Amino acid sequence: MQPATHHRRAARTAAVFTALFLVLLALVAAHWGPLGNVDREIAVALHRSAVEHHGWTRTNRVLSDWIWDPWAMRALLAVAVGWLLWRRERRLALWVAVTAAVGTALQQAVKAAVDRERPRWPDPVDSAHYAAFPSGHALTAIVAFGLLLWLMTLHGAPARWLRLMIAVAAVSVLGVGFTRLYLGVHWPSDVLGGWLLGAALVYGAIASYGCAQSHTGERESSPDGRVRS
């Protein structure tokens, strides 16, 4: 696939995820009944299990609060940014850092704007701060692993390492979503919103970086189309 085609395709994918997120945002803000009913049914069933199975609940707390915590995800990206700077890939390092920062700022802004209450239980097994929608854990995980996979692809990582990272990413993204629901601190639509917004950010970063690279290449090309050394 040609680079120009690649970043246009990423832009279209980002637009699709953004549109889906906006639809979900509208439904959440409007307190749409069918969505609320599904949210409550799933949340109640999982909370009942969490209350009854203490060992499994402790495991989910460790996974959510330590392994897949947003700060752990940001630390992974910080290592990636440091590696890029060491390789003198400053533009790419900046793109990764800015995307991560925008993700954090955007999810906090949406939380404040929607101000959705988290599930309330007479016997909670965990607690969380800020408003519920979208899930910051879900968003940060998909942004972190999405960017890491993109970086591995850009740098020609072997197929076996890509497959391994895809597997780790899938388990982590789905796993962190499950832990937030199981611990009763989010509604299912909060997690879905985090995934959609996070995916939109990743594809938006890929598209904008590809566009910037294309424009740089055009400026550096001589009139006969050859790239200057």
Side-chain angles (χ1 to χ4, degrees):
M1 183 183 296
Q2 295 298 317
T5 304
H6 180 74
H7 77 249
R8 282 197 294 267
R9 186 172 182 179
R12 289 194 295 269
T13 306
V16 170
F17 279 118
T18 301
L20 292 173
F21 173 76
L22 291 175
V23 169
L24 181 60
L25 173 62
L27 296 177
V28 169
H31 304 286
W32 191 50
L35 178 64
N37 292 337
V38 172
D39 275 344
R40 281 189 293 274
E41 288 177 8
I42 296 173
V44 168
L46 289 175
H47 180 69
R48 186 179 301 120
S49 176
V51 170
E52 294 173 355
H53 301 90
H54 302 290
W56 183 230
T57 300
R58 283 194 296 270
T59 299
N60 275 268
R61 291 193 66 171
V62 170
L63 290 171
S64 181
D65 296 343
W66 294 96
I67 307 301
W68 295 320
D69 179 74
W71 285 107
M73 299 294 99
R74 292 173 191 134
L76 285 178
L77 289 180
V79 171
V81 168
W83 178 75
L84 291 170
L85 291 173
W86 177 73
R87 289 173 54 91
R88 300 181 183 276
E89 298 181 56
R90 295 183 181 88
R91 173 181 284 183
L92 190 53
L94 178 64
W95 233 265
V96 172
V98 168
T99 302
V102 168
T104 299
L106 193 55
Q107 58 104 352
Q108 289 295 339
V110 175
K111 281 177 180 290
V114 177
D115 196 26
R116 188 187 203 187
E117 286 193 5
R118 293 179 184 269
R120 291 185 178 182
W121 310 105
D123 48 357
V125 298
D126 201 357
S127 62
H129 303 293
Y130 308 112
F133 183 88
S135 166
H137 279 69
L139 183 149
T140 308
I142 204 164
V143 167
F145 283 104
L147 291 175
L148 291 174
L149 280 167
W150 175 46
L151 293 178
M152 291 177 69
T153 302
L154 282 179
H155 290 85
R160 65 180 180 277
W161 289 108
L162 280 173
R163 287 194 295 268
L164 177 60
M165 179 56 80
I166 289 170
V168 171
V171 169
S172 298
V173 169
L174 294 174
V176 74
F178 176 80
T179 64
R180 303 309 284 165
L181 298 180
Y182 193 82
L183 295 172
V185 294
H186 273 297
W187 305 107
S189 53
D190 299 335
V191 172
L192 179 58
W195 286 339
L196 291 174
L197 184 55
L201 285 167
V202 171
Y203 279 104
I206 294 170
S208 58
Y209 182 79
C211 184
Q213 288 292 88
S214 296
H215 289 164
T216 300
E218 290 172 3
R219 288 196 302 269
E220 293 178 350
S221 296
S222 61
D224 61 2
R226 291 177 296 180
V227 176
R228 297 170 185 161
S229 58

